[in-house]
Amino acid sequence: MARQTRDPRKKPTGGLPSKDELLKFVAGATGKVGRREVARAFNVRGSDRVHLKRMLAELAAEGRLSGNRKALRRKGTLPPVAVLEIVARDADGDLIAEPLTWPKEEGARPRARLTFLDRQHSMSPSDLGAGDRVLARIARVEDEEDAEAPYTAEPIRKLPREKRRLLGIFRRNARGGGRIQPVDRKELREWPVAAGSEAGAREGDLVRFDILTRGRLAVPEARVLESLGNPDDQRQISLIAVHAHGLPDTFPDAVLQEAQMLRPAPWEGRADLRPTPFVTIDPADARDHDDAVHAEPDPDPANAGGFIVTVAIADVAAYVRPASRLDREAQLRGNSVYFPDRVVPMLPERLSNDLCSLREGEDRPCLAVRMVFDRRGTKKKHTFLRAMMRSAAKLSYQEAQAAFDGQPSGKCAPLMEKALLPLWRAYRALAEARDRRAPLDLDLPERRILLDAAGRVERVVMPERLAAHRLIEEFMIQANVAAAETLEGKRAPVVYRVHEPPAKEKLAALRDFLATLNLKLPTAAALKPVHFNRILAAAKRTPIAELVNEVVLRTQAQAEYATENAGHFGLNLGRYAHFTSPIRRYADLLVHRSLIAALRLGAGGLEPDEADRLADLARAISDAERRAMAAERETADRLIAAYLADRVGAEFAARVSGVTRSGLFVRLADTGADGFVPASSIAGDFYVHVEESHALVGRRTGRSFQLGDSVQVRLVEALPSAGALRFEMLSEGRTGLVAHPKAWRSRTGTRRR
């Protein structure tokens, strides 16, 4: 209810306020104000209520008042409380929002700048990002010349985020108007756009739109709200995922200016590790280098055959301080997002590719951990230090692997004895310890999309998994464990990387499935990764190895960030925290700050108010990670669909990668592209979904298509904007693999030809 604080507004019974007084009251209300609140405020009673109603209607007809009898406001202005959608950030990095709903006849949507003054609601800029919706208390700013955001909005609560923005590709009609093609493969229908509702969109533009329903029996139409660019060029195809998931892909000017003003970190309080011949080992096209490694034999006679391994990590905390504009932006992003055609970085290039990147031959500040291992790879102790280092060489994985294999390049040859061979020997000891630890050993190849000079897909490859990859991986794991152990020992705040054991329901389903393959998962109360590894090893000798890997992977929980330790099931570790990639993950930066504060390593440590919000930050960066993974996966699907669009009618070797009631998901052998075969299109029988066997089985013939089966398919349709591929099944299925069910029921999922 609106608060009335000015008694002079009240009139005696039988009197009415003027129109100007009505408008002034509505504009000054600090809560919801409707006809009832107006009547109470001005003491309007009896028959005067009819006249008041008429006055309000006249103000609405004159275009001076808007809303309805329960919620009035001056036309063109925001009400005291409204639902807003965050759409941008201003030059200072503040969040800018617009009303979620706004009458078209009132012109452009007014904007509001979010403020976070009310501690009662315990919300901060890190909790919100582009595309989020909030219920907010709104006030007009005193500076009427603030054209960008003439309102301030204090969030009351965050509302559930819409699952997806309404996005599509605009296709223009010759006579005006057009249609919108979907970019979501689950919404494969087109929306008509009437002439005058295009909002300036051009042919092929990615647009944000609303759905209009003009009547109960009318065909719904789309109205374009905003044109976001043209993704027909494959170099811009990731634009769809950027906008669909609300990824902030440009830095505010104030953030860029703050980055440009930074100067190299001072030497004060740092150890000098520059004489140590560190090397960075990364993908050949990497531009930012978070980590460098070094190993040497331990000279301590009590640790004969042991090693000292030092992992140096970019000291991002030296530059990105809590509550700075750079920090607020990094919180908002959560992590860097990598597409084949672009990177949406967590930090501006001035930091990610320059000041923080451990470049070859240049002095760089770092946070290093010095770990001592015995000859069997068991860690004996570790120490953290803040230092200055200098990379002796920037190597690719392939270049490092060639050196380990005895074929060093000209750059590697001088480093063999003092740097590379000690690394390799230390890794072999750590690999032995890793085998004893027995983490989950899934073997699932990853695809990589290579683009040509014009930004089009040139080919899709499955990169070879090298020992050099495993070397860096194992050194990083050990550094992450050391970080978690140190923070626990100091009773300091920790953002853990947790991976919980599989849920009981998923384990029961996995056991049922493995039973159909004559494989048995133990029924032990506390399963460990080694139990899954035995299943994977047994399957490796059979044609169904990839199938078993897929199903075991789907049984696992999703890793996330949390302040409560639940261990890391997949790595078989009791405690684990991400420490090694602060350039691209905000979680790692938080761990760095906690270490700096706990070990008293200088400026840039975790602030008390930041520590109080760690649980909320952990949830936010977990959400950001899932958002990034979905965006990366969808972009890869769209690029490959565009790559295959001119091969409709071609036949492909594939493998069944998923089974549902409605059909089969298949993955092509040569590109890893995923597509769908509708069950209704499979000729020759009625197919039923047998869930425990991950199969479709013919009711009459008993022929089946099961998860992991090798099949031959024909491409029927490709929709690049949605990343969708539809195939026709050419294989006939197999008999005897899945038991023919005895009793069929209509509700078991039969699909007809």
Side-chain angles (χ1 to χ4, degrees), residues 513 516-517 542-548 654-657 659 664 682-688 690 693-712 729-741 744:
F513 169 69
T516 67
L517 305 177
T542 72
I544 57 172
E546 188 173 340
L547 161 66
V548 176
R655 188 177 294 275
V656 177
S657 59
V659 183
L664 305 169
I682 304 176
D685 209 338
F686 303 130
Y687 283 87
V688 179
V690 182
S693 298
H694 294 264
L696 287 182
V697 184
R699 186 174 71 176
R700 179 175 54 82
T701 64
R703 290 187 174 276
S704 66
F705 296 94
Q706 189 177 28
L707 187 68
D709 280 357
S710 294
V711 293
Q712 200 74 14
M729 181 62 67
L730 300 179
S731 300
E732 294 184 355
R734 293 192 283 171
T735 56
L737 181 64
V738 179
H740 194 297
W744 299 98

Side-chain angles (χ1 to χ4, degrees), residues 323-335:
S324 66
R325 286 169 176 164
L326 281 166
D327 183 52
R328 288 166 58 187
E329 185 70 19
Q331 282 186 27
L332 193 66
R333 293 170 179 243
N335 47 247

Side-chain angles (χ1 to χ4, degrees), residues 707-728:
L707 187 68
D709 280 357
S710 294
V711 293
Q712 200 74 14
V713 294
R714 178 185 291 119
L715 180 60
V716 175
E717 184 180 22
L719 295 175
S721 62
L725 300 170
R726 184 164 61 88
F727 293 94
E728 175 188 8

Side-chain angles (χ1 to χ4, degrees), residues 21 166-167 183 215 221 233 297 324 353 357 369 373 382 489 496 523 536 538 572 669 722 733:
E21 286 177 314
L166 287 176
L167 295 175
V183 296
E221 294 180 355
D233 181 350
S324 66
N353 295 346
S357 186
V369 56
F373 296 91
H382 68 265
Y496 293 97
T523 55
L536 296 170
N572 199 15

Side-chain angles (χ1 to χ4, degrees), residues 415-436:
L415 296 169
M416 290 299 290
E417 291 299 326
K418 64 179 180 179
L420 296 179
L421 288 179
L423 277 175
W424 182 246
R425 292 167 186 149
Y427 164 65
R428 287 192 297 183
L430 266 64
E432 180 183 336
R434 182 184 188 277
D435 291 341
R436 292 198 304 274

Side-chain angles (χ1 to χ4, degrees), residues 279-346:
V279 296
T280 61
I281 304 176
D282 292 292
D285 56 355
R287 297 178 61 194
D288 53 84
H289 307 280
D290 288 278
D291 55 89
V293 292
H294 175 262
E296 61 184 345
D298 188 357
D300 185 355
N303 189 30
F307 295 90
I308 301 173
V309 173
T310 305
V311 175
I313 305 298
D315 190 358
V316 176
Y319 298 105
V320 182
R321 298 299 176 87
S324 66
R325 286 169 176 164
L326 281 166
D327 183 52
R328 288 166 58 187
E329 185 70 19
Q331 282 186 27
L332 193 66
R333 293 170 179 243
N335 47 247
S336 297
V337 188
Y338 294 88
F339 300 110
D341 59 338
R342 74 171 73 192
V343 176
V344 178
M346 185 180 81

